[in-house]
């Protein structure tokens, strides 16, 4: 008999905790609109816009960056590393297909500076920032 008397209060205690835990969350907002995502085609560059970012850049960390033309953006090659295809987001901003590298051109007072950010290893939560100045067209 004692076992059954202890079982009832234990079940009531568990049931009261379940209700208390669910009350910690706010009720769902049924009036909120559903979020949407808009996908657009790559930014189309004119020949003049592409020419404005192509050339050799001397980077702040000692690297040399060569920027050339590509169908949907540019091709960037740092020193003798493998070229990176960059897609135009605007006339001055380019992003690699995986999103790990971004380049923002035509910065500074003379519009001859570039800012590059990159993720060296996706296993790390690190993003490096390197600046560069146009050295040669």
């Amino acid at each position: 008999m004692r076992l059954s008397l202890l079982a009832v209060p234990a079940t009531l205690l568990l049931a009261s905790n379940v209700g208390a835990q669910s009350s910690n969350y706010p009720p769902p907002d049924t009036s909120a609109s559903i979020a949407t995502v808009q996908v657009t085609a790559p930014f189309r560059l004119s020949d003049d816009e592409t020419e404005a970012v192509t050339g050799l850049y001397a980077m702040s960390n000692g690297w040399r960056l060569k920027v050339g033309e590509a169908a949907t953006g540019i091709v960037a090659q740092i020193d003798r590393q493998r070229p990176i295809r960059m897609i135009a987001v605007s006339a001055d901003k380019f992003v690699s297909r995986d999103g790990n590298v971004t380049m923002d051109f035509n910065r500074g007072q003379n519009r001859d500076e570039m800012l590059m950010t990159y993720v060296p290893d996706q296993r790390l939560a690190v993003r490096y920032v390197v600046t560069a100045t146009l050295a040669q067209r």
Side-chain angles (χ1 to χ4, degrees):
M1 190 57 106
R2 278 191 180 169
L3 183 58
S4 63
L5 290 177
L6 290 176
V8 173
T11 56
L12 290 176
L13 182 62
L14 288 174
S16 66
N17 282 340
V18 170
Q21 287 177 354
S22 64
S23 67
N24 291 335
Y25 297 104
D29 184 6
T30 56
S31 65
S33 63
I34 297 173
T36 59
V37 176
Q38 182 178 2
V39 178
T40 59
F43 183 81
R44 300 283 182 207
L45 293 173
S46 69
D47 291 340
D48 292 338
E49 290 170 327
T50 304
E51 191 175 310
V53 299
T54 59
L56 293 174
Y57 290 82
M59 302 184 81
S60 60
N61 61 357
W63 296 345
R64 294 186 53 83
L65 172 68
K66 181 181 178 183
V67 177
E69 297 179 28
T72 59
I74 60 173
V75 175
Q77 185 173 9
I78 299 170
D79 293 334
R80 293 184 180 159
Q81 298 297 313
R82 186 175 47 92
I84 305 167
R85 294 201 171 275
M86 307 286 290
I87 300 168
V89 177
S90 72
D92 298 327
K93 187 164 186 155
F94 299 83
V95 178
S96 63
R97 292 187 191 274
D98 62 3
N100 288 336
V101 180
T102 63
M103 293 182 182
D104 194 1
F105 292 89
N106 296 324
R107 297 171 56 97
Q109 190 173 18
N110 297 327
R111 298 184 55 81
D112 62 346
E113 296 174 10
M114 186 270 297
L115 178 77
M116 179 178 83
T117 65
Y118 68 97
V119 177
D121 187 345
Q122 289 189 342
R123 295 173 295 176
L124 303 174
V126 175
R127 180 172 285 275
Y128 288 103
V129 177
V130 182
T131 58
T133 305
L134 182 64
Q136 177 184 357
R137 284 229 188 262

